[in-house]
Amino acid sequence: QFAARVEPVDLGDGGRGVILALREQTEQVMIERMRSDFVANASHEIRTPLASLIGFIETLRGPARDDQEAREMFLATMAEEAARMTRLVDDLLSLSRIEVAESRRPEERIELPELLARMAETLRPVAERSGVALELALAPLPPVRGDADQLHQLFGNLLDNAVKYGASGKRVRIEAEALPMAPPEAGPLSGRAAVRVAVIDFGEGIPPEHIPRLTERFYRVDKARSRRVGGTGLGLAIVKHILRRHEGHLAIQSELGRGSRFTVYLPVEES
Ligand code: ADP
């Protein structure tokens, strides 16, 4: 049945028609494989905390039944695991909601400096508890067209990561500025008017070979570490999808032992 789809292709060059048809099929197979990988990964991610919850319940019913101290410890760990599962399910729901909305252009006029300053105020006490000072360097910016909730989520995920993985650097910096012409690292926005927001940490950095894969669902540099800090492995995938809807771009720079810079470019409407 696929060969029938080859026929209408202009076969000025016979080989080419065949290649196109095969590619189409390969793409379809790849999409299906990605979808089933995602379901398998998501199930595994949900099963892991569930298995540990079940293990703890068994211990609480059996060996730890009369050990008050052990019970308290197990219950605290169980509460943490349950909270992580909740975050995971929330992130999965977010991802699917963002995907559904992806084809609709966001319509709100967003004042980013206001949004970022408000977010920083909320996050500051949390960051300070991890020994991280938040610094803000916000230039005046033209409004961007966007979805306020999604942009809040996008910058929230980047800031959350900067505090989680960059805590050893003791400070996290948010910089924002308007650019009449975005640089080449802005990808499709390069050469156009754009707003640039960078979330910078001075922590351990990321080995270069991992950088291109960070926005894949469930990709983590150090799985155990991500689990320990309560990560779901979906934060940057969510960032990528929100940026796709906003026709924006993410650039990641990092140096081992020095820190990381996650730079978001958003288009500015030219008047
Ligand atoms: P997670 O829930 O694991 O944090 P993310 O999708 O937000 O998932 O990030 C994916 C991975 O990228 C993380 O597990 C971590 O290894 C790495 N990462 C993200 N942000 C930073 C950062 N600021 N510094 C170092 N590593 C980071």
Side-chain angles (χ1 to χ4, degrees):
Q1 62 293 55
F2 215 79
R5 295 181 70 171
V6 177
E7 272 174 284
V9 175
D10 173 15
L11 297 181
D13 165 354
R16 221 168 170 194
V18 174
I19 289 169
L20 274 173
L22 284 175
R23 224 174 83 185
E24 204 172 318
Q25 194 183 27
T26 312
E27 241 171 60
Q28 193 57 35
V29 169
M30 260 175 64
I31 288 169
E32 267 155 36
R33 184 167 308 152
M34 271 167 64
R35 194 161 289 155
S36 76
D37 278 358
F38 174 60
V39 172
N41 284 336
S43 310
H44 175 77
E45 296 285 337
I46 292 171
R47 258 178 159 280
T48 311
L50 263 183
S52 94
L53 280 177
I54 291 168
F56 281 122
I57 290 170
E58 275 163 14
T59 317
L60 283 174
R61 279 180 159 163
R65 196 196 310 244
D66 303 315
D67 183 339
Q68 186 61 25
E69 208 175 314
R71 285 172 62 94
E72 291 303 323
M73 217 175 69
F74 286 145
L75 285 170
T77 315
M78 287 169 77
E80 252 168 56
E81 289 287 318
R84 212 170 64 81
M85 258 180 83
T86 308
R87 269 199 303 278
L88 178 59
V89 172
D90 285 346
D91 278 358
L92 284 169
L93 281 174
S94 276
L95 253 184
S96 92
R97 256 190 242 119
I98 295 160
E99 272 183 335
V100 168
E102 219 159 82
S103 55
R104 273 184 286 121
R105 256 199 106 190
E107 290 296 342
E108 293 166 69
R109 253 171 75 99
I110 312 287
E111 304 286 350
L112 278 180
E114 235 171 70
L115 180 128
L116 292 167
R118 251 187 294 125
M119 290 186 69
E121 283 331 301
T122 316
L123 185 66
R124 184 160 279 132
V126 182
E128 278 169 3
R129 254 177 271 140
S130 317
V132 174
L134 274 189
E135 295 173 4
L136 276 175
L138 307 176
L141 301 179
V144 297
R145 194 198 284 256
D147 177 311
D149 288 340
Q150 289 190 353
L151 290 176
H152 193 276
Q153 192 174 14
L154 184 164
F155 293 115
N157 287 356
L158 294 181
L159 285 166
D160 196 43
N161 280 348
V163 172
K164 271 188 332 202
Y165 301 109
S168 60
K170 303 267 182 266
R171 66 194 172 103
V172 163
R173 198 174 154 77
I174 308 170
E175 288 177 0
E177 63 194 314
L179 305 170
M181 266 206 345
E185 75 156 11
L189 290 179
S190 145
R192 289 173 53 191
V195 160
R196 165 159 75 191
V197 181
V199 174
I200 306 157
D201 71 66
F202 303 87
E204 73 231 45
I206 304 161
E209 67 274 20
H210 292 284
I211 292 179
R213 300 196 57 191
L214 291 183
T215 58
E216 289 175 23
R217 295 163 183 204
F218 300 121
Y219 191 87
R220 289 113 153 176
V221 175
D222 177 345
K223 206 158 181 154
R225 171 103 202 273
S226 160
R227 270 178 68 84
R228 255 196 325 276
V229 294
T232 64
L234 292 174
L236 291 177
I238 290 175
V239 165
K240 179 175 77 176
H241 281 272
I242 293 176
L243 278 175
R244 196 179 286 168
R245 176 160 184 236
H246 285 76
E247 292 170 6
H249 189 75
L250 175 71
I252 307 174
Q253 289 172 330
S254 189
E255 218 178 308
L256 270 183
R258 308 204 69 158
S260 310
R261 169 191 287 260
F262 287 75
T263 310
V264 168
Y265 291 89
L266 288 166
V268 166
E269 274 158 63
E270 279 150 284
S271 46

